[in-house]
Amino acid sequence: MSELTEITDAAQTAHPHTLRPEHERRMASTQQVLRERELDALVVTDPANLYYLTGYNAWSFYMPQALLVPAEGEAHLVLRAMDAKGGHHTATLPRERIHGYPEHYVHRHDIHPWEWIASTGREVGALPPGRCTVAMELDAHFFSPRAFLAFGGTLPEARLVDSRELVNWLRVVKSDTEIALMRAAGEVTVRAMTTAVEALREGRRQCDVVAQIQQAQAHGTEALGGDYPAIVPMLPTGETAGTPHLTWVAEPLRRGEATTIELSGVHRRYHVPLARTVSLGPPPHRLAQTAEATGLALEQALRTMHPGATAADVHAAFTAELTRHGLRKDSRIGYSIGIGYPPDWGERTVSLRAEDPTTLAPGMCFHMILGMWMDGWGYETSESVLVTDAGPELLAPLDQGLVIHA
């Protein structure tokens, strides 16, 4: 049996309803942390965390939705009424624990869905009565200040505190099932990046290149279907390559310019990002030199990435080598990855930077993103890495270094 077949088989068995035991284990771990922190309940709003704990998966996160997790007892999922059926199809919770708030709560200035969510949570026992301490994902992308006020106003006796990314931190170390899904996503990434590199040719419009990339991301491979990414392909070109996070325009690609590509393959919401830089024609000396130095620094960082090392150790190894070449990078060089939903594929936990003392452990996955953004030009490369007892495993193995199209 080939390695790809093994990955495919493992990934395909991870259909949401076959993951019920894994979801139950994750929920038990979450509730254990609640009890250890003397918290009575947790309100989960991050769509990646909803997926991690229940399997719920839909483009509904732009509306209020929540998983209410008591420290003791059963969790309940609350969605917009029209989305509750989607919960029945994708979440591993039983139907009686999936609730839909009425449509007349949507986009009103006088009432708010979070009032209904709070009241329902009390009614079903997911939120304790009387004085209690409820942790909330206060830094989640889709939890608004008005939502916080509506929830707190409905439960004035509750003490609301920040969850401090409780579930996100539980996600940092991947299970064997998750590792199989990350490897599968890596196969999609390799296909998408290969498509991108081949599509970058002089005279082609940037938007046409991205259209090919997005088709490859959705198609995946013959064995593994792709999914939509949390972040669209990024394609800074020419002078704009000195700036991260730019997307694309309709302008043609020009000889003598470099383009940085950052994208992700996705399988069942698991993301494996990757970045490469392509030069149309011979690269300027400064670009070639920066690419070589960055590659050497990456090698040193990867040599350091083993269980027992810290995030700061990895950053220090990279920085020491980069400094030898007269270069510096002020931003972090990586972050934890796994499940992703728009607008970000990062887990918002571990960062590979000097100030992070987190100890690396087998099962952690990182996007090591090495962007060297200069004045009017830039170089970007990255690797998605799985920490193992045997050392770092590249999840999307592809030729490293600057790509040159003659």
Side-chain angles (χ1 to χ4, degrees):
M1 179 179 291
S2 70
E3 183 179 0
L4 176 57
T5 301
E6 291 176 355
I7 292 172
T8 303
D9 290 347
Q12 295 302 329
T13 60
H15 185 275
H17 289 285
T18 67
L19 282 176
R20 189 182 303 276
E22 181 130 344
H23 290 154
E24 291 174 349
R25 176 189 61 78
R26 296 170 184 175
M27 187 70 72
S29 297
T30 300
Q31 291 180 304
Q32 177 62 32
V33 176
L34 289 176
R35 292 190 291 269
E36 290 172 357
R37 295 188 187 178
E38 298 183 340
L39 299 170
D40 296 300
L42 171 67
V43 178
V44 179
T45 54
D46 185 329
N49 291 341
L50 295 180
Y51 183 80
Y52 179 77
L53 292 174
T54 73
Y56 177 64
N57 183 24
W59 194 285
S60 59
F61 41 81
Y62 64 95
M63 282 288 178
Q65 56 185 28
L67 179 68
L68 308 177
V69 184
E72 301 281 357
E74 297 177 325
H76 288 252
L77 180 61
V78 187
L79 308 165
R80 186 181 182 184
M82 67 170 61
D83 293 317
K85 290 183 180 179
H88 300 157
H89 285 298
T90 62
T92 54
L93 295 179
R95 286 176 175 263
E96 62 270 18
R97 287 199 274 135
I98 301 175
H99 314 275
Y101 56 82
E103 185 67 16
H104 67 263
Y105 274 85
V106 173
H107 293 162
R108 293 274 296 272
H109 71 276
D110 53 339
I111 57 175
H112 196 277
W114 274 96
E115 297 168 355
W116 197 92
I117 292 171
S119 298
T120 300
R122 276 280 168 84
E123 291 173 10
V124 301
L127 299 174
R131 295 180 62 82
C132 60
T133 302
V134 178
M136 308 191 76
E137 296 184 331
L138 297 182
D139 205 29
H141 292 118
F142 299 101
F143 187 65
S144 69
R146 189 179 172 200
F148 176 79
L149 294 174
F151 184 86
T154 309
L155 304 176
E157 69 278 21
R159 175 173 170 258
L160 307 182
V161 300
D162 186 12
S163 72
R164 293 182 291 163
E165 285 68 54
L166 189 157
V167 180
N168 302 61
W169 280 99
L170 290 174
R171 289 165 43 198
V172 167
V173 176
K174 309 295 183 286
S175 67
D176 290 343
T177 299
E178 291 184 288
I179 290 172
L181 290 166
M182 291 294 286
R183 287 171 173 155
E187 295 287 339
V188 179
T189 301
V190 169
R191 177 67 64 87
M193 183 58 79
T194 299
T195 297
V197 170
E198 293 175 351
L200 281 167
R201 297 295 175 184
E202 180 183 357
R204 295 204 67 198
R205 295 189 305 170
Q206 296 177 32
C207 54
D208 294 331
V209 172
V210 173
Q212 280 189 253
I213 295 171
Q214 292 179 320
Q215 192 276 337
Q217 288 174 308
H219 173 77
T221 71
E222 296 305 319
L224 296 163
D227 204 343
Y228 67 87
I231 302 174
V232 299
M234 288 178 279
L235 207 76
T237 300
E239 185 176 351
T240 65
T243 304
H245 305 145
L246 299 182
T247 53
W248 63 89
V249 295
E251 294 298 314
L253 297 166
R254 297 179 175 86
R255 184 170 179 80
E257 292 186 342
T259 297
T260 62
I261 314 162
E262 186 176 353
L263 55 78
S264 183
V266 190
H267 184 72
R268 297 185 184 272
R269 303 313 313 150
Y270 284 83
H271 285 61
V272 171
L274 196 66
R276 290 292 186 268
T277 299
V278 177
S279 176
L280 296 182
H285 176 71
R286 63 186 182 183
L287 177 58
Q289 191 175 44
T290 298
E292 181 179 6
T294 304
L296 293 172
L298 171 61
E299 288 180 13
Q300 294 302 318
L302 289 172
R303 288 174 183 165
T304 309
M305 188 171 275
H306 55 76
T310 66
D313 292 335
V314 177
H315 182 270
F318 174 86
T319 301
E321 180 64 26
L322 198 67
T323 301
R324 287 185 58 247
H325 298 272
L327 296 171
R328 60 180 288 176
K329 178 173 172 58
D330 294 328
S331 58
R332 63 182 180 174
I333 64 166
Y335 47 82
S336 181
I337 54 171
I339 300 168
Y341 280 83
D344 186 24
W345 54 48
E347 289 183 324
R348 296 188 291 119
T349 51
V350 188
S351 288
L352 301 178
R353 59 187 174 197
E355 303 84 3
D356 196 324
T358 304
T359 300
L360 305 189
M364 290 183 175
C365 296
F366 294 95
H367 182 211
M368 298 185 68
I369 177 67
L370 311 175
M372 303 298 294
W373 299 294
M374 308 301 186
D375 185 13
W377 65 281
Y379 175 75
E380 186 174 340
T381 190
S382 78
E383 295 293 342
S384 283
V385 183
L386 167 67
V387 179
T388 76
D389 286 319
E393 174 187 330
L394 302 185
L395 289 166
L398 207 60
D399 290 345
Q400 296 179 351
L402 180 64
V403 180
I404 303 173
H405 287 334

